[in-house]
Amino acid sequence: MARPKKHAILVIHGPNLGLLGQREPEVYGRVTLPEINDELRSLAKEHKVKVEIVQSNHEGEIVDTIGKSKDTFDAILINPAAYTHTSVAIRDALLACGLPCVEVHLSNIYAREQFRHNSLIAPVAKGQISGFGKQSYALGLLAIINLLDSARK
Ligand code: DQA
């Protein structure tokens, strides 16, 4: 029997996440983005899925990346960072591409300032994981793999 095609997952890190490790360590911890990415790549390898990882500080660039994702990827894992709370454009791009998406946050956005309590992305995502530090990404990736595996059955 032919082996099923590997799931391909696009991981998007939004603005300022490239500064993890130095940025507000009391909120985000000391973990760096390359460390998070290494963990995602090894988890992906373990589960036999492909991941492509991008980071951008620019809303339009994130919109373009999502817009081109439909034919190449099966799902999106996104930490939209500050754009979570402001970006109708990223929300619309996710809706337009139609891929299942999981939203993640290192910090618990509901335990922080009022303006972070609203996510424009959450209503168009399959779900949201918030508050588990770097583990939020691993949990998000596992949630996507689960979703894709269940859709295949
Ligand atoms: C964040 C939470 C956002 O409110 C904030 O703007 C970020 C990071 C998180 O991962 O906890 O940049 O998305």
Side-chain angles (χ1 to χ4, degrees):
M1 207 170 72
R3 212 180 285 154
K5 196 175 125 289
K6 278 188 180 182
H7 298 309
I9 299 154
L10 174 63
V11 179
I12 302 176
H13 303 288
N16 300 310
L17 293 173
L19 299 175
L20 286 175
Q22 316 155 30
R23 175 190 179 203
E24 298 177 87
E26 65 290 355
V27 178
Y28 301 114
R30 292 272 174 206
V31 71
T32 65
L33 198 60
E35 284 164 0
I36 289 175
N37 291 343
D38 281 351
E39 285 192 19
L40 286 175
R41 286 195 191 96
S42 56
L43 197 58
K45 198 168 172 200
E46 197 183 309
H47 288 267
K48 300 185 172 51
V49 300
K50 288 193 247 180
V51 284
E52 187 170 315
I53 306 178
V54 296
Q55 190 276 325
S56 175
N57 294 328
H58 305 281
E59 186 176 23
E61 196 168 58
I62 296 173
V63 169
D64 285 344
T65 301
I66 295 169
K68 286 185 231 144
S69 63
K70 195 178 174 4
D71 296 330
T72 319
F73 297 97
D74 301 302
I76 297 177
L77 178 66
I78 186 166
N79 182 347
Y83 290 138
T84 306
H85 320 294
T86 62
S87 183
V88 176
I90 292 176
R91 174 190 171 124
D92 284 351
L94 289 167
L95 276 175
C97 87
L99 294 177
C101 132
V102 170
E103 175 188 345
V104 298
H105 299 284
L106 295 142
S107 65
N108 177 355
I109 57 173
Y110 303 98
R112 300 183 62 193
E113 304 95 320
Q114 188 70 36
F115 70 86
R116 295 185 204 273
H117 296 186
N118 187 40
S119 167
L120 295 183
I121 308 305
V124 305
K126 286 284 180 189
Q128 183 198 66
I129 297 162
S130 173
F132 298 98
K134 66 176 183 172
Q135 271 291 103
S136 291
Y137 281 96
L139 294 167
L141 186 63
L142 291 174
I144 286 190
I145 295 169
N146 224 290
L147 273 173
L148 294 173
D149 282 346
S150 314
R152 193 175 261 171
K153 279 173 198 150

